[in-house]
Amino acid sequence: MTLLEGFGTTVLLFAATLVVSLPLGLIVCFGSMSKVPPIRWIARVFVWIIRGTPLMLQVMVVFYVPGLVFDYPMRSRFIAVFIAFVINYACYFSEIYRGGIESVPRGQYEAAQVLGMTKTQVFFRIILPQVVKRILSPMSNEVITLVKDTSLARVIAVEEIIFAAQGIINSYALIWPLFYSGAFYLIFVGVLTLIFRAAEKKLSYYKV
Amino acid sequence: MAILEVKGLKKSFGAHEVLKGIDFELERGEVLAIIGSSGSGKTTLLRCLNFLETADEGSISVNGEVLFDGSKESKKNTSDIRKKRLHFGLVFQQFNLFPHYNAITNIKLAAELLGKEKSRRECAAIDADSKRERAETIARHKTEMTALKAENLQKEEFNVKKRELKAAHKAELVLLADKTDARKAAAKERFLGDINKRAQALLDRVGLGDRAKAYPCELSGGQQQRIAIARALALSPDILCFDEPTSALDPELTGEVLKVIKGLKSGDSTMIVVTHEMEFARGVADKVIFMADGVIEEMGTPYQIFEAPKSEKTKAFLQKSREQALGEISEGV
Ligand SMILES: Nc1ncnc2c1ncn2[C@@H]1O[C@H](COP(=O)(O)OP(=O)(O)OP(=O)(O)O)[C@@H](O)[C@H]1O
Ligand SMILES: [Mg+2]
């Protein structure tokens, strides 16, 4: 039963992180590509810090720093993990977006501009669809990493699946929960792989 | 009056002056060929006309309307620039079709977006109109009702008349709403109605009427470039510019593209064609400009430029391009 709850927590953390960090990543990406130097530098330094330090450390910082430094303790362990994950993944996604956007040839922008399209139209009609196709495979790597990173939540005692499994092992001296959680990860990643493959196939009607 | 007038156009990239004062005029329906060696500024000139680059000095006027004036502080209003761009079309050397849209969508996309924008604006105006009209009508209904009350009729008679009046008012409002809907539908039809038909007609015109649903990756280079030409025509620009439209194509595919461009000439399009195809320039152009180092070295009829060039630079350039053409032929043998 606790294993099932751990499973639920893991899936929830995964889904919630994805839903928030995907759009947030786009905003960070716009920041790091901004024409205004201060914004660009702040965004890039931020991304550098987040990508340059372990996620485990970030989880602990988000959980402990508000309480210890600002005397405003985190109410929920889950929320702390969630915030750390969102920030971390938004930064990774932003770099993937940036790579995708920069890989669209200048000629695409120019052709659209010459046809009198507005900036918004150029981005949403011309650039973004091509970016989606270009970033699908780095995206799938990152999303699969996220599945496995959810196990880091245990460092602040959020009861994700491995934490739950270990609890069972400790109290009942049973080994099978570890295999079950392993199988859970494999199935989860397997499903995601299939989804990404289907998306790739769906977008294979054109070449960029 | 000239459809296009370019005066003293200058453009530098950093310290490198690429255009050093370009002056020329073009009449409606004329075809201008621009030739010149690599780096002479031909592409830069077309890009300035299409507002992909902003020139530093000089002016550009279309139909007497000044689109660019370097001596005036230009406010970089993007929606202004968008409107100005619509006077020109540009066909790129590398086609630059949108890979994720099929042929017909490539052609009609911009027209559709523009049409939607216009129809949305028109519908908003109609809505505002009808809202005001409705308010006026309701106010009039109120005075009519007050007038009825002021008649001090018998209760029975008053009730009958009141019911009649209310019914009439209601009918009037329904009629008003119907009229608004009809006006909106008409506006939509006007701005968006024939876009599909027009796109298909353009496809036919470039000889690809049966490839409407094909994606760019399924088309040959020559076919892609023909779609790109149709796309540029879709917004009916005053002046259509081509930047070496056949340079990225295999030699056996250049013919079909040049044929399409030739076909446009009879259709009274005004065109500027930057090209290395001397035979084509000679055959199609009404006017030829030879550019060298950012200036117009020589300008004239095809006969003047190709048969009786005055400038030494022109002569040398033509000589060299003739040798190159011969070289290619002998390589082919
Ligand atoms: N964005 C830019 N920044 C800096 N220099 C540029 C830029 N665009 C063009 N130039 C320079 O301007 C000069 C003219 O370039 P342009 O592309 O207009 O020549 P062209 O006549 O079209 O040559 P080609 O026949 O090779 O296409 C070149 O020396 C080029 O290096
Ligand atoms: Mg060029």
Side-chain angles (χ1 to χ4, degrees), chain B residues 54-163:
Chain B
T54 312
D56 302 325
E57 281 177 49
S59 70
I60 301 169
S61 323
V62 172
N63 283 324
E65 179 197 349
V66 181
L67 299 185
F68 173 79
D69 188 345
S71 64
K72 276 189 198 139
E73 190 64 40
S74 72
K75 29 178 183 15
K76 267 205 168 176
N77 184 335
T78 38
S79 87
D80 245 22
I81 290 184
R82 268 182 66 212
K83 225 177 276 155
K84 290 173 181 175
R85 277 193 177 126
L86 293 178
H87 289 287
F88 294 90
L90 180 58
V91 174
F92 299 83
Q93 188 173 345
Q94 301 294 344
F95 332 136
N96 293 340
L97 289 181
F98 306 131
H100 53 304
Y101 292 126
N102 62 23
I104 194 147
T105 310
N106 260 283
I107 295 172
K108 72 181 182 186
L109 179 67
E112 218 165 54
L113 292 174
L114 211 63
K116 274 187 193 150
E117 191 182 321
K118 281 185 187 156
S119 103
R120 212 175 312 133
R121 208 173 301 145
E122 179 95 0
C123 284
I126 293 171
D127 272 335
D129 234 27
S130 96
K131 204 171 153 194
R132 184 179 39 75
E133 211 171 326
R134 198 181 143 89
E136 282 169 13
T137 313
I138 290 175
R140 178 165 49 77
H141 290 171
K142 276 198 184 130
T143 42
E144 280 173 13
M145 196 54 90
T146 325
L148 181 66
K149 280 178 189 153
E151 282 178 39
N152 280 329
L153 298 169
Q154 294 285 308
K155 191 161 184 176
E156 296 280 288
E157 200 186 349
F158 174 74
N159 278 342
V160 172
K161 286 214 167 168
K162 184 177 154 193
R163 219 173 299 130

Side-chain angles (χ1 to χ4, degrees), chain B residues 42-43 93 243-244:
Chain B
K42 307 180 297 290
T43 298
Q93 188 173 345
D243 190 5
E244 301 189 27

Side-chain angles (χ1 to χ4, degrees), chain B residues 253-303:
Chain B
L253 298 177
T254 59
E256 59 186 75
V257 172
L258 294 180
K259 206 172 105 194
V260 166
I261 301 175
K262 247 181 230 170
L264 298 180
K265 186 177 159 75
S266 49
D268 164 59
S269 304
T270 312
M271 297 191 274
I272 302 177
V273 189
V274 169
T275 184
H276 287 306
E277 302 280 337
M278 296 305 152
E279 280 314 307
F280 173 74
R282 189 199 301 237
V284 174
D286 302 297
K287 205 184 227 177
V288 179
I289 284 177
F290 169 65
M291 272 181 76
D293 293 327
V295 296
I296 294 180
E297 179 71 23
E298 198 163 351
M299 171 158 50
T301 62
Y303 180 83

